[in-house]
């Protein structure tokens, strides 16, 4: 019986990656970013596997609530904060820490005095131009938060780096300078680094780091592999062969007849497609691992199937195991072939793929 597609999540790899991160930024506290279903690894099981971290971060209120309902007691930070009174009250009820990045959120807090019992994280926009107070607007916002009654338990300061993965570090240094200038003399713990900030060329500092991608064992830097950084992939997307056929020279495989056999070929059909999150943009020749050997994808990715050329392999049959990405075939490499980034592939693993914690 062949095993159909599943994502095997390696809890030990997740914990190993936390230790690699801790060793890279000694003394910093780790806020594990588990938004987007923990980058496809399963929100709750990932958080439970990472029980030793100092805090979790999520993008949406529902994610934070779900973690609390499943018994997660660690601090949880809502990276986008809240936008309505109802959300603010719910966040408060579930003891979630809020990022405050906009004046509207300051006014919400002012209007709901009983909701600042957790730490607040004021976000300063130092160049990303996505969320956060511009440096010139930050002091007034900070002062207003400080003057809330009852006073917030703690006000912390954060910013987000736009280009920490770039080797020359120019953008990062400019952002760090703006952050330092805007926050000079203001007390409170600071958080700046995402994964690329942790492993990049410019040391960024701060009492807290916010790794996402690196936790899952993918490299945040284009010029370094995960293995070089000591990280271990936490997800193996695996499936198996469901048919093997002989394709005579000159015939084509799959939709659009996008691949033609230049010689008689043996083609294995594999149970994985864009319905599972394997991008349709993968071109002919993208590596796929069959029984531990790399073979090329041929033809278009369909919804439920892909085809690979196994002419060079001997013993391939129904049930032969296939790895689409994992320890032996880094997701970064597959992402590059698809013209995208590892983040998108990991988050894109679809709901019909069972996530099994190993
Ligand atoms: C998603 C996110 C992170 C984690 O980024 P990685 O590149 O995956 O490490 C950190 N901080 C903020 C504000 C984020 O939105």
């Amino acid at each position: 019986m062949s095993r159909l597609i599943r994502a095997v999540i390696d809890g030990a790899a997740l914990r190993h990656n936390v230790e690699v991160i801790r060793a890279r930024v000694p003394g910093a506290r780790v806020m594990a970013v588990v938004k987007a279903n923990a980058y496809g690894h399963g929100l709750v099981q990932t958080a439970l596997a990472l029980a030793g971290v100092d805090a979790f971060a999520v993008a949406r209120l529902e994610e934070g609530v779900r973690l609390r309902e499943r018994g997660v007691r660690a601090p949880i930070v809502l990276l986008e904060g809240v936008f309505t009174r109802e959300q603010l009250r719910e966040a408060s009820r579930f003891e979630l820490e809020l990022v405050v990045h906009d004046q509207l959120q300051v006014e919400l807090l002012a209007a709901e005095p009983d909701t600042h019992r957790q730490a607040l994280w004021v976000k300063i926009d130092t160049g990303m131009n996505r969320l956060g107070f511009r440096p010139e607007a930050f002091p007034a916002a900070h002062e207003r938060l400080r003057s809330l009654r009852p006073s917030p338990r703690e006000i912390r300061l954060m910013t987000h780096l736009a280009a920490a993965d770039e080797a020359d570090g120019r953008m990062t240094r400019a952002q760090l300078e703006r952050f330092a200038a805007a926050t000079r003399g203001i007390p409170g713990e600071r958080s700046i680094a995402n994964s690329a900030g942790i492993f990049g060329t410019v040391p960024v500092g701060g009492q807290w780091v916010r790794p996402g991608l690196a936790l899952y064992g993918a490299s945040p830097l284009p010029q370094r592999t995960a293995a070089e950084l000591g990280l271990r992939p936490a997800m193996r997307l695996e499936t198996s062969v469901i048919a093997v056929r002989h394709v005579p020279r000159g015939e084509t495989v799959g939709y659009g007849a996008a691949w033609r056999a230049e010689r008689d070929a043996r083609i294995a059909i594999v149970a994985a497609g864009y319905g599972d999150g394997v991008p349709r943009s993968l071109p002919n020749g993208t590596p796929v691992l069959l029984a531990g050997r790399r073979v090329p994808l041929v033809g278009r990715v369909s919804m439920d199937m892909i085809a690979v050329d196994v002419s060079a392999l001997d013993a391939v049959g129904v049930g032969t195991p296939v790895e689409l990405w994992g320890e032996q075939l880094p997701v970064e490499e597959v992402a590059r072939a698809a013209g995208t980034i590892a983040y998108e592939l990991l988050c894109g693993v679809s709901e019909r793929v069972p996530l099994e914690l190993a």
Side-chain angles (χ1 to χ4, degrees), residues 127-163:
M128 182 76 158
N129 270 310
R130 202 174 58 173
L131 297 181
F133 294 96
R134 294 190 67 87
E136 59 276 15
F138 161 71
H142 186 266
E143 189 45 43
R144 179 112 164 88
L145 288 172
R146 257 170 37 96
S147 65
L148 290 175
R149 292 295 173 264
S151 322
R153 197 179 85 194
E154 199 178 333
I155 302 178
R156 299 177 182 160
L157 312 174
M158 69 182 282
T159 192
H160 195 43
L161 300 173

Side-chain angles (χ1 to χ4, degrees), residues 10 25 54 64-65 73 84 103 163 183 204 231 241 263 318 337 353:
D10 182 346
V25 283
D54 303 289
V65 170
R73 307 282 302 276
T84 66
Q103 193 58 33
T183 60
V204 303
L231 300 168
V241 171
R263 58 185 72 84
V318 171
V353 177

Side-chain angles (χ1 to χ4, degrees), residues 31 33 35 39 57-59 79-80 99 123 130-131 158-161 191-198 209-216 220 343:
M31 184 192 298
V33 179
K35 61 193 179 186
Y39 293 43
V58 294
L79 290 173
E80 295 170 10
V99 168
K123 187 166 191 175
R130 202 174 58 173
L131 297 181
M158 69 182 282
T159 192
H160 195 43
L161 300 173
S191 176
I192 302 167
N194 55 1
S195 297
I198 293 165
V209 294
R210 307 189 305 269
L213 192 69
L215 280 178
Y216 306 104
Y343 297 80

Side-chain angles (χ1 to χ4, degrees), residues 257-301:
W259 181 83
R260 185 179 300 276
E262 284 176 3
R263 58 185 72 84
D264 290 356
R266 225 153 31 99
I267 299 296
I269 307 301
V270 171
Y274 60 78
D276 302 300
V278 176
R280 190 174 172 280
S281 55
L282 287 176
N284 284 323
T286 300
V288 175
L289 211 67
L290 239 93
R293 298 267 308 272
R294 285 178 182 230
V295 291
L297 179 82
V298 298
R300 296 238 168 99
V301 172

Side-chain angles (χ1 to χ4, degrees), residues 161 167-179 201-204:
L161 300 173
D168 81 4
R170 271 197 16 231
M171 177 84 185
T172 299
R173 275 191 289 271
Q175 288 193 264
L176 292 178
E177 276 166 30
R178 276 181 220 132
F179 187 72
T201 47
V202 182
V204 303

